[in-house]
Amino acid sequence: MSYTYNGTQIRVKHPVHQISVNKHKVAFADKCGQQLSTFSNTSEAKQFVSWLLQSH
């Protein structure tokens, strides 16, 4: 699955094993390894985490 943010796709291969959030940055581990995504504000980071949790 993919999440589009500012015209860029963030690809996620489920299952997601770990999620870590620090202000504007979201790190997660999926089937392909660890990834780090940076957002412009905490609200957008929270929306992405919510999408990660719901899209299994």
Side-chain angles (χ1 to χ4, degrees), residues 3-29:
Y3 182 86
T4 303
Y5 175 70
N6 284 343
T8 303
Q9 284 190 349
I10 303 169
R11 296 188 181 266
V12 179
K13 297 267 187 173
H14 290 281
V16 174
H17 303 287
Q18 181 179 4
I19 301 172
S20 177
V21 182
N22 185 3
K23 296 183 184 180
H24 306 272
K25 296 182 181 184
V26 178
F28 62 95

Side-chain angles (χ1 to χ4, degrees), residues 24-48:
H24 306 272
K25 296 182 181 184
V26 178
F28 62 95
D30 63 3
K31 189 175 181 181
C32 293
Q34 290 211 307
Q35 297 186 50
L36 176 66
S37 299
T38 303
F39 298 89
S40 35
N41 59 49
T42 54
S43 176
E44 292 173 350
K46 286 179 184 180
Q47 286 178 348
F48 177 67

